[in-house]
PDB file of all heavy atoms in Angstrom:
ATOM      1  N   MET B  87       4.338  23.666   1.112  1.00 80.00           N
ATOM      2  CA  MET B  87       2.884  23.638   1.267  1.00 80.00           C
ATOM      3  C   MET B  87       2.411  22.269   1.738  1.00 80.00           C
ATOM      4  O   MET B  87       1.522  22.168   2.580  1.00 80.00           O
ATOM      5  CB  MET B  87       2.199  23.987  -0.057  1.00 80.00           C
ATOM      6  CG  MET B  87       2.291  25.458  -0.381  1.00 80.00           C
ATOM      7  SD  MET B  87       1.990  25.763  -2.110  1.00 80.00           S
ATOM      8  CE  MET B  87       0.255  26.061  -2.071  1.00 80.00           C
ATOM      9  N   ALA B  88       3.033  21.222   1.220  1.00 72.00           N
ATOM     10  CA  ALA B  88       2.629  19.875   1.641  1.00 72.00           C
ATOM     11  C   ALA B  88       2.883  19.696   3.134  1.00 72.00           C
ATOM     12  O   ALA B  88       2.076  19.119   3.851  1.00 72.00           O
ATOM     13  CB  ALA B  88       3.389  18.826   0.845  1.00 72.00           C
ATOM     14  N   LEU B  89       4.011  20.220   3.596  1.00 73.00           N
ATOM     15  CA  LEU B  89       4.330  20.079   5.010  1.00 73.00           C
ATOM     16  C   LEU B  89       3.392  20.888   5.885  1.00 73.00           C
ATOM     17  O   LEU B  89       3.043  20.478   6.984  1.00 73.00           O
ATOM     18  CB  LEU B  89       5.771  20.549   5.264  1.00 73.00           C
ATOM     19  CG  LEU B  89       6.858  19.623   4.735  1.00 73.00           C
ATOM     20  CD1 LEU B  89       8.211  20.269   4.907  1.00 73.00           C
ATOM     21  CD2 LEU B  89       6.824  18.299   5.483  1.00 73.00           C
ATOM     22  N   LEU B  90       2.993  22.057   5.392  1.00 80.00           N
ATOM     23  CA  LEU B  90       2.195  22.940   6.240  1.00 80.00           C
ATOM     24  C   LEU B  90       0.698  22.707   6.118  1.00 80.00           C
ATOM     25  O   LEU B  90      -0.075  23.247   6.899  1.00 80.00           O
ATOM     26  CB  LEU B  90       2.516  24.398   5.894  1.00 80.00           C
ATOM     27  CG  LEU B  90       3.890  24.827   6.370  1.00 80.00           C
ATOM     28  CD1 LEU B  90       4.242  26.182   5.816  1.00 80.00           C
ATOM     29  CD2 LEU B  90       3.935  24.867   7.881  1.00 80.00           C
ATOM     30  N   LEU B  91       0.309  21.923   5.137  1.00 75.00           N
ATOM     31  CA  LEU B  91      -1.127  21.715   4.911  1.00 75.00           C
ATOM     32  C   LEU B  91      -1.832  21.176   6.153  1.00 75.00           C
ATOM     33  O   LEU B  91      -2.878  21.695   6.526  1.00 75.00           O
ATOM     34  CB  LEU B  91      -1.320  20.788   3.709  1.00 75.00           C
ATOM     35  CG  LEU B  91      -2.656  20.879   2.993  1.00 75.00           C
ATOM     36  CD1 LEU B  91      -2.934  22.296   2.543  1.00 75.00           C
ATOM     37  CD2 LEU B  91      -2.666  19.953   1.793  1.00 75.00           C
ATOM     38  N   PRO B  92      -1.310  20.150   6.819  1.00 71.00           N
ATOM     39  CA  PRO B  92      -2.006  19.677   8.023  1.00 71.00           C
ATOM     40  C   PRO B  92      -2.137  20.752   9.089  1.00 71.00           C
ATOM     41  O   PRO B  92      -3.107  20.775   9.836  1.00 71.00           O
ATOM     42  CB  PRO B  92      -1.115  18.527   8.530  1.00 71.00           C
ATOM     43  CG  PRO B  92      -0.328  18.107   7.364  1.00 71.00           C
ATOM     44  CD  PRO B  92      -0.125  19.320   6.533  1.00 71.00           C
ATOM     45  N   ALA B  93      -1.168  21.647   9.135  1.00 75.00           N
ATOM     46  CA  ALA B  93      -1.242  22.703  10.141  1.00 75.00           C
ATOM     47  C   ALA B  93      -2.408  23.634   9.868  1.00 75.00           C
ATOM     48  O   ALA B  93      -2.903  24.306  10.773  1.00 75.00           O
ATOM     49  CB  ALA B  93       0.066  23.499  10.157  1.00 75.00           C
ATOM     50  N   THR B  94      -2.883  23.669   8.631  1.00 78.00           N
ATOM     51  CA  THR B  94      -3.971  24.596   8.332  1.00 78.00           C
ATOM     52  C   THR B  94      -5.336  24.023   8.655  1.00 78.00           C
ATOM     53  O   THR B  94      -6.337  24.718   8.569  1.00 78.00           O
ATOM     54  CB  THR B  94      -3.973  24.998   6.843  1.00 78.00           C
ATOM     55  OG1 THR B  94      -4.238  23.830   6.070  1.00 78.00           O
ATOM     56  CG2 THR B  94      -2.654  25.587   6.436  1.00 78.00           C
ATOM     57  N   PHE B  95      -5.385  22.745   9.029  1.00 73.00           N
ATOM     58  CA  PHE B  95      -6.687  22.142   9.313  1.00 73.00           C
ATOM     59  C   PHE B  95      -7.399  22.879  10.427  1.00 73.00           C
ATOM     60  O   PHE B  95      -8.602  23.026  10.427  1.00 73.00           O
ATOM     61  CB  PHE B  95      -6.548  20.673   9.733  1.00 73.00           C
ATOM     62  CG  PHE B  95      -6.038  19.782   8.640  1.00 73.00           C
ATOM     63  CD1 PHE B  95      -5.500  18.549   8.928  1.00 73.00           C
ATOM     64  CD2 PHE B  95      -6.090  20.170   7.322  1.00 73.00           C
ATOM     65  CE1 PHE B  95      -5.036  17.715   7.938  1.00 73.00           C
ATOM     66  CE2 PHE B  95      -5.627  19.349   6.311  1.00 73.00           C
ATOM     67  CZ  PHE B  95      -5.098  18.114   6.623  1.00 73.00           C
ATOM     68  N   HIS B  96      -6.596  23.293  11.418  1.00 76.00           N
ATOM     69  CA  HIS B  96      -7.225  23.894  12.580  1.00 76.00           C
ATOM     70  C   HIS B  96      -7.260  25.399  12.513  1.00 76.00           C
ATOM     71  O   HIS B  96      -7.669  26.067  13.443  1.00 76.00           O
ATOM     72  CB  HIS B  96      -6.454  23.449  13.849  1.00 76.00           C
ATOM     73  CG  HIS B  96      -6.299  21.956  13.911  1.00 76.00           C
ATOM     74  ND1 HIS B  96      -7.345  21.116  14.161  1.00 76.00           N
ATOM     75  CD2 HIS B  96      -5.222  21.168  13.708  1.00 76.00           C
ATOM     76  CE1 HIS B  96      -6.906  19.868  14.120  1.00 76.00           C
ATOM     77  NE2 HIS B  96      -5.641  19.864  13.857  1.00 76.00           N
ATOM     78  N   ALA B  97      -6.813  25.946  11.384  1.00 83.00           N
ATOM     79  CA  ALA B  97      -6.801  27.405  11.250  1.00 83.00           C
ATOM     80  C   ALA B  97      -8.029  27.843  10.474  1.00 83.00           C
ATOM     81  O   ALA B  97      -8.618  27.060   9.748  1.00 83.00           O
ATOM     82  CB  ALA B  97      -5.533  27.840  10.529  1.00 83.00           C
ATOM     83  N   PRO B  98      -8.413  29.115  10.614  1.00 87.00           N
ATOM     84  CA  PRO B  98      -9.561  29.581   9.845  1.00 87.00           C
ATOM     85  C   PRO B  98      -9.264  29.522   8.346  1.00 87.00           C
ATOM     86  O   PRO B  98      -8.116  29.699   7.936  1.00 87.00           O
ATOM     87  CB  PRO B  98      -9.751  31.034  10.301  1.00 87.00           C
ATOM     88  CG  PRO B  98      -8.560  31.392  11.066  1.00 87.00           C
ATOM     89  CD  PRO B  98      -7.872  30.160  11.509  1.00 87.00           C
ATOM     90  N   PRO B  99     -10.280  29.275   7.517  1.00 85.00           N
ATOM     91  CA  PRO B  99     -10.050  29.026   6.088  1.00 85.00           C
ATOM     92  C   PRO B  99      -9.318  30.138   5.368  1.00 85.00           C
ATOM     93  O   PRO B  99      -8.330  29.890   4.669  1.00 85.00           O
ATOM     94  CB  PRO B  99     -11.459  28.862   5.510  1.00 85.00           C
ATOM     95  CG  PRO B  99     -12.391  28.806   6.638  1.00 85.00           C
ATOM     96  CD  PRO B  99     -11.695  29.118   7.891  1.00 85.00           C
ATOM     97  N   LEU B 100      -9.762  31.389   5.546  1.00 88.00           N
ATOM     98  CA  LEU B 100      -9.132  32.470   4.799  1.00 88.00           C
ATOM     99  C   LEU B 100      -7.661  32.586   5.158  1.00 88.00           C
ATOM    100  O   LEU B 100      -6.796  32.720   4.292  1.00 88.00           O
ATOM    101  CB  LEU B 100      -9.863  33.798   5.084  1.00 88.00           C
ATOM    102  CG  LEU B 100      -9.362  34.996   4.277  1.00 88.00           C
ATOM    103  CD1 LEU B 100      -9.427  34.715   2.797  1.00 88.00           C
ATOM    104  CD2 LEU B 100     -10.168  36.229   4.621  1.00 88.00           C
ATOM    105  N   ALA B 101      -7.356  32.488   6.455  1.00 89.00           N
ATOM    106  CA  ALA B 101      -5.965  32.603   6.879  1.00 89.00           C
ATOM    107  C   ALA B 101      -5.117  31.504   6.257  1.00 89.00           C
ATOM    108  O   ALA B 101      -3.998  31.747   5.809  1.00 89.00           O
ATOM    109  CB  ALA B 101      -5.878  32.549   8.401  1.00 89.00           C
ATOM    110  N   SER B 102      -5.662  30.288   6.215  1.00 88.00           N
ATOM    111  CA  SER B 102      -4.887  29.170   5.649  1.00 88.00           C
ATOM    112  C   SER B 102      -4.572  29.417   4.188  1.00 88.00           C
ATOM    113  O   SER B 102      -3.442  29.222   3.749  1.00 88.00           O
ATOM    114  CB  SER B 102      -5.673  27.867   5.743  1.00 88.00           C
ATOM    115  OG  SER B 102      -6.283  27.743   6.970  1.00 88.00           O
ATOM    116  N   ILE B 103      -5.585  29.842   3.442  1.00 88.00           N
ATOM    117  CA  ILE B 103      -5.357  30.047   2.007  1.00 88.00           C
ATOM    118  C   ILE B 103      -4.378  31.185   1.794  1.00 88.00           C
ATOM    119  O   ILE B 103      -3.507  31.116   0.922  1.00 88.00           O
ATOM    120  CB  ILE B 103      -6.684  30.343   1.286  1.00 88.00           C
ATOM    121  CG1 ILE B 103      -7.676  29.238   1.568  1.00 88.00           C
ATOM    122  CG2 ILE B 103      -6.459  30.497  -0.191  1.00 88.00           C
ATOM    123  CD1 ILE B 103      -7.183  27.877   1.201  1.00 88.00           C
ATOM    124  N   ILE B 104      -4.519  32.225   2.610  1.00 90.00           N
ATOM    125  CA  ILE B 104      -3.595  33.355   2.489  1.00 90.00           C
ATOM    126  C   ILE B 104      -2.168  32.884   2.705  1.00 90.00           C
ATOM    127  O   ILE B 104      -1.251  33.247   1.961  1.00 90.00           O
ATOM    128  CB  ILE B 104      -3.969  34.456   3.506  1.00 90.00           C
ATOM    129  CG1 ILE B 104      -5.242  35.155   3.056  1.00 90.00           C
ATOM    130  CG2 ILE B 104      -2.839  35.451   3.655  1.00 90.00           C
ATOM    131  CD1 ILE B 104      -5.713  36.211   4.010  1.00 90.00           C
ATOM    132  N   MET B 105      -1.981  32.035   3.705  1.00 90.00           N
ATOM    133  CA  MET B 105      -0.633  31.564   3.990  1.00 90.00           C
ATOM    134  C   MET B 105      -0.095  30.722   2.838  1.00 90.00           C
ATOM    135  O   MET B 105       1.030  30.911   2.389  1.00 90.00           O
ATOM    136  CB  MET B 105      -0.619  30.732   5.275  1.00 90.00           C
ATOM    137  CG  MET B 105       0.770  30.266   5.646  1.00 90.00           C
ATOM    138  SD  MET B 105       0.838  29.393   7.182  1.00 90.00           S
ATOM    139  CE  MET B 105       0.433  27.757   6.646  1.00 90.00           C
ATOM    140  N   LEU B 106      -0.914  29.779   2.360  1.00 89.00           N
ATOM    141  CA  LEU B 106      -0.445  28.903   1.283  1.00 89.00           C
ATOM    142  C   LEU B 106      -0.145  29.700   0.025  1.00 89.00           C
ATOM    143  O   LEU B 106       0.847  29.460  -0.656  1.00 89.00           O
ATOM    144  CB  LEU B 106      -1.500  27.829   0.997  1.00 89.00           C
ATOM    145  CG  LEU B 106      -1.711  26.815   2.123  1.00 89.00           C
ATOM    146  CD1 LEU B 106      -2.879  25.917   1.803  1.00 89.00           C
ATOM    147  CD2 LEU B 106      -0.468  25.989   2.346  1.00 89.00           C
ATOM    148  N   ALA B 107      -1.024  30.677  -0.281  1.00 89.00           N
ATOM    149  CA  ALA B 107      -0.775  31.504  -1.467  1.00 89.00           C
ATOM    150  C   ALA B 107       0.516  32.284  -1.289  1.00 89.00           C
ATOM    151  O   ALA B 107       1.324  32.401  -2.216  1.00 89.00           O
ATOM    152  CB  ALA B 107      -1.951  32.442  -1.709  1.00 89.00           C
ATOM    153  N   GLY B 108       0.721  32.792  -0.063  1.00 90.00           N
ATOM    154  CA  GLY B 108       1.929  33.558   0.212  1.00 90.00           C
ATOM    155  C   GLY B 108       3.182  32.743  -0.019  1.00 90.00           C
ATOM    156  O   GLY B 108       4.188  33.249  -0.517  1.00 90.00           O
ATOM    157  N   ILE B 109       3.126  31.471   0.319  1.00 90.00           N
ATOM    158  CA  ILE B 109       4.289  30.605   0.088  1.00 90.00           C
ATOM    159  C   ILE B 109       4.605  30.570  -1.404  1.00 90.00           C
ATOM    160  O   ILE B 109       5.779  30.647  -1.811  1.00 90.00           O
ATOM    161  CB  ILE B 109       4.036  29.181   0.615  1.00 90.00           C
ATOM    162  CG1 ILE B 109       3.848  29.194   2.120  1.00 90.00           C
ATOM    163  CG2 ILE B 109       5.180  28.256   0.240  1.00 90.00           C
ATOM    164  CD1 ILE B 109       3.564  27.843   2.709  1.00 90.00           C
ATOM    165  N   TYR B 110       3.565  30.486  -2.214  1.00 88.00           N
ATOM    166  CA  TYR B 110       3.803  30.367  -3.656  1.00 88.00           C
ATOM    167  C   TYR B 110       4.440  31.614  -4.244  1.00 88.00           C
ATOM    168  O   TYR B 110       5.522  31.562  -4.818  1.00 88.00           O
ATOM    169  CB  TYR B 110       2.489  30.049  -4.371  1.00 88.00           C
ATOM    170  CG  TYR B 110       2.625  29.873  -5.867  1.00 88.00           C
ATOM    171  CD1 TYR B 110       3.682  29.154  -6.407  1.00 88.00           C
ATOM    172  CD2 TYR B 110       1.704  30.422  -6.740  1.00 88.00           C
ATOM    173  CE1 TYR B 110       3.809  28.980  -7.770  1.00 88.00           C
ATOM    174  CE2 TYR B 110       1.820  30.246  -8.099  1.00 88.00           C
ATOM    175  CZ  TYR B 110       2.876  29.526  -8.608  1.00 88.00           C
ATOM    176  OH  TYR B 110       2.985  29.359  -9.959  1.00 88.00           O
ATOM    177  N   TYR B 111       3.764  32.765  -4.090  1.00 85.00           N
ATOM    178  CA  TYR B 111       4.364  33.911  -4.780  1.00 85.00           C
ATOM    179  C   TYR B 111       5.601  34.416  -4.043  1.00 85.00           C
ATOM    180  O   TYR B 111       6.474  35.037  -4.662  1.00 85.00           O
ATOM    181  CB  TYR B 111       3.344  35.027  -5.077  1.00 85.00           C
ATOM    182  CG  TYR B 111       2.576  35.592  -3.911  1.00 85.00           C
ATOM    183  CD1 TYR B 111       3.122  36.608  -3.134  1.00 85.00           C
ATOM    184  CD2 TYR B 111       1.301  35.143  -3.621  1.00 85.00           C
ATOM    185  CE1 TYR B 111       2.413  37.133  -2.079  1.00 85.00           C
ATOM    186  CE2 TYR B 111       0.586  35.661  -2.568  1.00 85.00           C
ATOM    187  CZ  TYR B 111       1.142  36.658  -1.787  1.00 85.00           C
ATOM    188  OH  TYR B 111       0.439  37.173  -0.735  1.00 85.00           O
ATOM    189  N   GLY B 112       5.705  34.077  -2.760  1.00 87.00           N
ATOM    190  CA  GLY B 112       6.930  34.424  -2.040  1.00 87.00           C
ATOM    191  C   GLY B 112       8.133  33.697  -2.613  1.00 87.00           C
ATOM    192  O   GLY B 112       9.229  34.255  -2.718  1.00 87.00           O
ATOM    193  N   SER B 113       7.909  32.443  -3.008  1.00 86.00           N
ATOM    194  CA  SER B 113       9.038  31.669  -3.530  1.00 86.00           C
ATOM    195  C   SER B 113       9.537  32.240  -4.840  1.00 86.00           C
ATOM    196  O   SER B 113      10.701  32.085  -5.187  1.00 86.00           O
ATOM    197  CB  SER B 113       8.641  30.207  -3.709  1.00 86.00           C
ATOM    198  OG  SER B 113       7.712  30.085  -4.751  1.00 86.00           O
ATOM    199  N   GLN B 114       8.643  32.921  -5.592  1.00 83.00           N
ATOM    200  CA  GLN B 114       9.101  33.515  -6.845  1.00 83.00           C
ATOM    201  C   GLN B 114       9.998  34.716  -6.582  1.00 83.00           C
ATOM    202  O   GLN B 114      10.811  35.086  -7.413  1.00 83.00           O
ATOM    203  CB  GLN B 114       7.900  33.941  -7.713  1.00 83.00           C
ATOM    204  CG  GLN B 114       6.939  32.812  -8.059  1.00 83.00           C
ATOM    205  CD  GLN B 114       7.630  31.660  -8.728  1.00 83.00           C
ATOM    206  OE1 GLN B 114       8.505  31.837  -9.566  1.00 83.00           O
ATOM    207  NE2 GLN B 114       7.283  30.438  -8.348  1.00 83.00           N
ATOM    208  N   TYR B 115       9.830  35.352  -5.422  1.00 83.00           N
ATOM    209  CA  TYR B 115      10.717  36.456  -5.070  1.00 83.00           C
ATOM    210  C   TYR B 115      12.102  35.922  -4.722  1.00 83.00           C
ATOM    211  O   TYR B 115      13.120  36.442  -5.149  1.00 83.00           O
ATOM    212  CB  TYR B 115      10.173  37.186  -3.829  1.00 83.00           C
ATOM    213  CG  TYR B 115       9.275  38.343  -4.099  1.00 83.00           C
ATOM    214  CD1 TYR B 115       7.959  38.157  -4.466  1.00 83.00           C
ATOM    215  CD2 TYR B 115       9.743  39.644  -3.962  1.00 83.00           C
ATOM    216  CE1 TYR B 115       7.122  39.232  -4.681  1.00 83.00           C
ATOM    217  CE2 TYR B 115       8.917  40.719  -4.165  1.00 83.00           C
ATOM    218  CZ  TYR B 115       7.596  40.518  -4.534  1.00 83.00           C
ATOM    219  OH  TYR B 115       6.770  41.579  -4.727  1.00 83.00           O
TER     220      TYR B 115
END
Side-chain angles (χ1 to χ4, degrees):
Chain B
M87 286 161 92
L89 288 174
L90 288 171
L91 203 56
T94 64
F95 294 161
H96 308 289
L100 184 56
S102 317
I103 305 304
I104 287 178
M105 182 176 85
L106 293 173
I109 296 179
Y110 181 43
Y111 56 85
S113 69
Q114 302 305 320
Y115 268 77

